[in-house]
Amino acid sequence: MDLIKTIEEQQKKENAECFRVGDTVKVHFEIIEGKTKRIQLYEGVVLCIKGEGARRTFTVRKESYGVGVERVFPVNSPRIIKVELIRPGKVRRSKIYYVRDKIGKAAKIKELIGAKANARVAFAREVAKAADVREAQINAEHKAAAKK
């Protein structure tokens, strides 16, 4: 059991979670298609955060051409370049699956306003700056690989 915990601790990312349920986030996710790699953006509302340790995941929901699309991301995945906090949300539940049944304006999440929101956004920006360096390195690697 201790061996599993030590391996999980090694795989954890520092400051991986700068968001909560109800927040609107933009996930920068690296996709590998054959030999090419690219970074895909996925923007939506965080519906839930599940699991613990290295197995922690979060679900993001967005509307695409009138159809609700959900995607589950592992928090500590090396493919996730960064998670940008776009808008902090104000919800009172840990799982907001009820949003699935709502349409249009009813599916909107209230925005968190005030000192708490400002502190969360400031922390998220600091984490994003560190991730920007990693994203620039990955883009440089992609360009170098494309030239070959």
Side-chain angles (χ1 to χ4, degrees), residues 97-113:
Y97 297 132
Y98 63 86
V99 174
R100 293 173 175 163
D101 300 329
K102 307 289 184 185
I103 298 170
K105 224 176 186 181
K108 250 183 156 180
I109 303 293
K110 289 182 184 176
E111 187 171 359
L112 184 66
I113 300 171

Side-chain angles (χ1 to χ4, degrees), residues 1-34:
M1 194 68 170
D2 292 330
L3 180 64
I4 293 171
K5 285 186 179 182
T6 55
I7 292 171
E8 282 185 355
E9 287 298 320
Q10 292 170 357
Q11 293 176 349
K12 274 188 173 180
K13 284 185 181 179
E14 289 182 26
N15 297 325
E17 281 188 65
C18 58
F19 56 91
R20 292 185 182 164
V21 173
D23 293 349
T24 302
V25 296
K26 190 183 288 185
V27 181
H28 296 249
F29 194 73
E30 185 180 36
I31 292 188
I32 301 168
E33 296 170 330

Side-chain angles (χ1 to χ4, degrees), residues 11 14 25 31-32 42 46 52 67 75 92 104 114 126 131 148:
Q11 293 176 349
E14 289 182 26
V25 296
I31 292 188
I32 301 168
Y42 193 87
V46 178
E52 60 183 32
V67 178
V75 171
R92 295 171 62 176
E126 288 177 28
K148 289 182 180 180

